[in-house]
Amino acid sequence: MSMRVVHIYKDYAPVVGGIENHVRLVAEAQAAAGDDVTVLVANTGPQTTEEYRGGVHVLKAGRLATVASTPLSLSLPLELAGLEADVAHVHFPYPVGELAQYLVGRSRATVVTYHSDVVRQKRLLALYRPLMLRALNKADRIIVGSPNYLESSPVLRALADKCRVVPYGIDGRRFAAPDADRVQQLRARFATAGPLLLFVGVLRYYKGLDYLLRAMPEVAGTLLVVGEGPMGEAWRALARELSLQERVVFCGRVPDEDLPTYYGAADLFVLPASERSEAYGLVQLEAMHAGLPVVSTELGTGTSFVNQHGETGLVVPARGTEALAKAIRILCRDGSLRRALGARARARAAELSVEQMVAGIHTVYREALRRAASHRG
């Protein structure tokens, strides 16, 4: 059964980020399956624009300003008030979108994907919390990416009866078969002094790259840092302070089509995330599709649902360097263990597919519509 769906979030492609990529993947997959899909977000500028991209109606409401990483848009609620849909799918956290749907949304049912707790803006959260809880309580269903996050989030525990776990998935086919010549060229350039470590992500505080940099003097090999972001300058300065210029390469933003080459060239992948804002770590799935073992940190979130300790890689305590360095040394020294974990990582990644994710989301939609209908009746 096809549906009219409107996704609500703060940004969309070509803006790059974990949630932005997820929204695009889901929206385009739903459109390809026959749904009528609109994505409503804030524009990067003051004008409201619309376009069709990948079969999806993309409506970008004019942005007034940005406060605490939150785009403010007076146009977004006005645009939403004019949209009729079977399901409004709100991607949390984005207060403007959540409140707009709560106040003026016209959909038959509301589904929220709870991507992350609000971690850093604690003062703003104290002010927003009463309205946030009202919006979440009004939602018909809440989607969570992992059972780990559902169990560890104080907000979700109080709403567990309406929560449903639908693991995130990606289309990993391109990561599983990179161009062999390009992979060899990259290895010839960077893997000359031992194993090649890889980090991929926007350089934000919660990614914990500073802990990985501080661990690097204790491990062999070269680290490639793919990505750019607010912490880029500070972390480059830290690498210089630690005299790591020869062993840590900041590659900046890499075109999406080139990412499989970097995964294919690496020996292992490291996600040293330090805060719960890293709710899942989709980059781990990219690495796992490439057959890489993963070293990640325990945050009580979906990162250790994806990367399972002793099965697909190693999981160590967050915000430390000794355990991180030890895990990296173990995998760098033991090629057979690396290959065994990498093979299981690839199998685990195949379990977390786009098809299963989209089917799971549609199941939640149907449940939400039944609940909404029963409440209206």
Side-chain angles (χ1 to χ4, degrees), residues 24-244:
R24 180 180 182 179
L25 183 65
V26 172
E28 291 185 354
Q30 290 174 336
D35 289 332
D36 182 355
V37 184
T38 295
V39 171
L40 176 61
V41 297
N43 206 349
T44 54
Q47 301 300 317
T48 295
T49 65
E50 62 179 321
E51 62 178 322
Y52 283 86
R53 179 193 290 261
V56 177
H57 177 212
V58 181
L59 187 55
K60 296 184 177 182
R63 182 181 305 215
L64 182 65
T66 303
V67 178
S69 302
T70 300
L72 302 182
S73 172
L74 298 178
S75 302
L76 191 146
L78 296 175
E79 295 292 345
L80 182 60
L83 293 174
E84 293 186 2
D86 296 308
V87 176
H89 190 154
V90 182
H91 295 268
F92 179 102
Y94 179 41
V96 173
E98 295 140 26
L99 292 180
Q101 174 60 20
Y102 175 68
L103 295 171
V104 303
R106 299 177 60 195
S107 61
R108 293 168 54 203
T110 300
V111 172
V112 174
T113 289
Y114 192 98
H115 292 283
S116 171
D117 293 328
V118 179
V119 177
R120 200 175 195 186
Q121 294 90 0
K122 290 184 168 58
R123 291 183 180 178
L124 291 177
L125 176 60
L127 295 173
Y128 176 53
R129 186 179 177 84
L131 291 171
M132 177 191 81
L133 293 177
R134 286 189 182 186
L136 290 173
N137 273 303
K138 188 179 178 181
D140 296 291
R141 285 291 179 265
I142 298 172
I143 293 174
V144 191
S146 70
N148 306 47
Y149 212 97
L150 177 56
E151 292 165 8
S152 64
S153 168
V155 173
L156 293 179
R157 281 200 299 267
L159 299 163
D161 61 322
K162 64 171 61 181
C163 291
R164 301 293 182 268
V165 174
V166 179
Y168 298 101
I170 66 168
D171 183 351
R173 288 172 295 183
R174 65 195 185 98
F175 298 106
D179 183 274
D181 290 338
R182 296 182 66 191
V183 166
Q184 190 53 43
Q185 289 170 13
L186 199 63
R187 283 195 63 84
R189 181 179 174 189
F190 293 118
T192 57
L196 196 58
L197 284 58
L198 180 64
F199 168 95
V200 177
V202 179
L203 304 187
R204 302 189 189 280
Y205 76 99
Y206 61 84
K207 295 293 183 178
L209 182 61
D210 48 335
Y211 296 100
L212 177 54
L213 292 175
R214 294 186 188 280
M216 283 301 295
E218 306 301 321
V219 303
T222 300
L223 169 65
L224 298 185
V225 177
V226 172
E228 198 51 86
M231 295 299 297
E233 185 176 336
W235 284 341
R236 285 180 172 89
L238 177 59
R240 290 193 297 269
E241 178 186 323
L242 296 169
S243 300
L244 293 171

Side-chain angles (χ1 to χ4, degrees), residues 265-317:
D267 293 295
L268 64 99
F269 185 81
V270 187
L271 181 64
S274 57
E275 304 293 340
R276 285 179 57 81
S277 299
E278 189 65 77
Y280 198 80
L282 285 170
V283 287
Q284 294 182 121
L285 280 181
E286 295 176 353
M288 291 160 68
H289 273 290
L292 290 181
V294 176
V295 175
S296 64
T297 51
E298 182 57 74
L299 299 165
T301 69
T303 57
S304 45
F305 168 77
V306 177
N307 179 37
Q308 300 177 328
H309 182 68
E311 289 295 317
T312 61
L314 299 176
V315 179
V316 301

Side-chain angles (χ1 to χ4, degrees), residues 369-377:
L369 286 164
R370 288 195 296 270
R371 179 186 184 276
S374 68
H375 279 231
R376 284 195 302 271

